[in-house]
């Protein structure tokens, strides 16, 4: 299925975009070959590293594959739209419109340009997004408390050490009280990514850097990665909590494992265990990589849940499909009972589909305020 499904848009572009062009047969066959090779990006990724999630090509090659993959998908959609219009014209007087060759060229050019923009938006160091969250009964000492939310860094060949250093520098410049990372730190083995994650050691916040694993950590020797991240000074909340204190008052920061964990023999998310022994009445901020269980957290009295995983849907329109797989949550703030759920668009995203249109990456600075 990995080979067949990605081939379908390429085959459609070949049949409806390239083949009708007035080109020599050899040129059309050559283009068809290039499109089919590009459509198999995930297969080549698996061959390069043993995992579809970690392409181990030079960064320019990963960028080029994402551009080509995106251009093929967008061109297929545009050509399909042209074919639908031509088909619908059969019902009109004088219908049966032919698709001009110039329109096929225009669709190809538009797809190539949009894909280039989408890749550029995906690979940049993300801008800052500010969010204020009002919490009932927030202790006065925590009024104005700042949390920098990072998620889905996907440190990889596409998001290497240089990118990580730039993110760390921007994060540290903000001078926040706490940095929270909601998983998917990496794509690749520890041996492959050791140097690329090293910049994370420099992350600094007054109350430290706290994190939970994402589903991708379980694809690449979760236990080794958790030990290594802890060695970088990142404190992992795996079904656990810590108590932050200001002026004798408490704020609970809790974290759960990812819901994919049991598939690899690791403990699944357990909110009750995470909150066991937490001081009664203290507001709770929960870190959970995936947003789908937000209703359970709200029922347990969590005030704020921070999640990622969805990458904001990556492309406006596609986000509606992504939301369906995540209990309707895909990007931004949601009120779930008495709890606020915030789903970040992500600091980066999986290098196997590094495209963003209308769903920008973000560094999210959250300021807690006492609800009036």
């Amino acid at each position: 299925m990995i080979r067949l499904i990605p081939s379908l848009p390429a085959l459609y572009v070949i049949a409806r975009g390239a083949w009708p062009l007035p080109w020599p047969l050899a040129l059309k066959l050559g283009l068809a070959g290039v499109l089919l090779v590009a459509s198999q990006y995930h297969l080549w990724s698996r061959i390069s590293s043993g995992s579809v999630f970690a392409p181990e090509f030079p960064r320019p090659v990963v960028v080029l594959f994402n551009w080509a993959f995106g251009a093929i998908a967008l061109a297929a959609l545009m050509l399909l739209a042209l074919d639908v219009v031509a088909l619908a014209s059969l019902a009109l007087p004088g219908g049966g419109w032919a698709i001009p060759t110039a329109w096929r060229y225009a669709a190809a050019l538009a797809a190539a340009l949009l894909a280039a923009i989408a890749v550029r938006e995906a690979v940049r160091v993300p801008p800052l997004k500010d969010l204020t969250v009002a919490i009932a009964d927030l202790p006065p000492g925590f009024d104005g408390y700042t949390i920098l939310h990072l998620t889905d860094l996907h440190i990889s060949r596409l998001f290497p050490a240089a990118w990580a250093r730039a993110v760390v520098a921007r994060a540290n410049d903000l001078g926040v009280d706490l940095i929270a990372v909601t998983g998917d730190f990496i794509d690749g083995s520890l041996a492959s990514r050791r140097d690329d994650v090293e910049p994370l050691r420099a992350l600094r916040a007054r109350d430290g850097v706290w994190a939970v694993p994402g589903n991708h950590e379980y694809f690449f020797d979760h236990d080794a990665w958790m030990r290594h991240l802890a060695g970088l000074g990142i404190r992992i909340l795996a079904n656990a909590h810590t108590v932050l204190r200001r002026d004798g008052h408490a704020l609970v920061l809790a974290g759960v494992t990812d819901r994919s964990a049991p598939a690899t023999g690791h403990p699944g998310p357990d909110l009750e265990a995470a909150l066991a022994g937490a001081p009664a009445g203290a507001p709770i901020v929960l870190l959970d990589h995936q947003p789908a269980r937000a209703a359970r957290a709200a029922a347990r009295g969590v005030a704020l849940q921070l999640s990622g995983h969805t990458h904001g849907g990556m492309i406006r329109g596609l986000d509606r499909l992504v939301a369906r797989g995540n209990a309707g949550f895909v990007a931004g703030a949601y009120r779930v009972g008495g709890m606020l759920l915030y789903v970040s668009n992500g600091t980066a995203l999986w290098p196997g589909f590094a495209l963003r249109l209308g769903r920008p990456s973000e560094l999210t600075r959250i300021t807690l305020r006492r609800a009036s």
Side-chain angles (χ1 to χ4, degrees), residues 9-332:
L11 291 171
Y12 196 85
V13 172
I14 292 166
R16 300 300 302 143
W19 214 252
L21 296 176
W23 292 1
L25 179 61
L27 186 57
K28 290 193 280 191
L29 288 173
L31 177 59
V34 169
L35 292 172
L36 287 173
V37 168
S39 74
Q40 297 302 301
Y41 170 40
H42 299 123
L43 174 62
W44 311 137
S45 295
R46 182 186 294 278
I47 292 171
S48 75
S49 68
S51 172
V52 70
F53 295 104
E56 293 295 343
F57 307 114
R59 190 173 191 256
V61 175
V62 179
V63 169
L64 185 61
F65 262 124
N66 274 283
W67 169 78
F69 197 78
I72 290 168
L74 291 168
L77 288 173
M78 293 178 189
L79 290 167
L80 177 62
L82 290 175
D83 283 343
V84 168
V85 170
L87 186 62
S89 75
L90 294 173
L92 302 175
W97 301 337
I99 299 173
T101 297
W103 290 15
R104 299 184 197 278
Y105 286 130
L109 179 60
L113 289 174
L114 279 175
I117 292 169
V119 172
R120 184 195 64 186
E121 290 296 296
V123 302
R124 68 178 178 169
V125 175
L128 178 65
K129 180 177 181 180
D130 273 306
L131 175 71
T132 299
V133 177
I135 295 179
D137 301 322
L138 182 71
F142 287 97
D143 189 31
Y145 192 85
T146 52
I147 301 171
L148 181 65
H149 182 202
L150 307 178
T151 189
D152 300 281
L153 284 85
H154 289 281
I155 292 173
S156 58
R157 285 291 186 126
L158 186 59
F159 300 100
W163 179 89
R165 279 193 295 272
V167 169
V168 167
R170 188 166 292 182
N172 288 345
D173 285 346
L174 297 174
V176 296
D177 292 298
L178 182 141
I179 295 174
V181 189
T182 52
D184 279 7
F185 283 86
I186 50 84
D187 278 306
S189 67
L190 180 55
S192 298
R193 296 282 88 81
R194 187 185 298 272
D195 292 342
D196 292 321
V197 301
E198 183 60 26
L200 299 184
R201 189 187 298 275
L203 279 172
R204 294 288 182 270
R206 295 181 185 91
D207 288 331
V209 182
W210 299 84
V212 293
N215 56 311
H216 281 230
E217 275 72 64
Y218 294 95
F219 300 157
F220 299 101
D221 196 346
H222 164 274
D223 295 346
W225 268 116
M226 292 303 101
R227 289 192 297 269
H228 189 73
L229 292 172
L232 297 178
I234 297 168
R235 288 173 274 191
I236 306 298
L237 293 169
N239 296 330
H241 74 268
T242 189
V243 180
L244 308 169
R245 298 198 178 272
R246 289 286 190 279
D247 303 328
H249 298 287
L251 177 70
V252 173
L253 179 70
V256 293
T257 58
D258 190 74
R259 63 177 180 170
S260 67
T264 59
H266 292 86
D270 187 339
L271 185 55
E272 292 302 319
L275 296 177
I284 301 166
V285 176
L286 175 67
L287 309 182
D288 187 346
H289 177 64
Q290 301 194 39
R293 295 181 305 275
R296 301 179 195 179
R300 185 59 178 78
V302 172
L304 170 65
Q305 176 176 323
L306 301 180
S307 296
H309 182 62
T310 65
H311 307 158
M314 295 159 290
I315 297 174
R316 194 171 292 276
L318 180 61
D319 57 348
R320 294 298 91 206
L321 181 62
V322 174
R324 294 185 65 179
N326 291 276
F329 307 121
V330 65

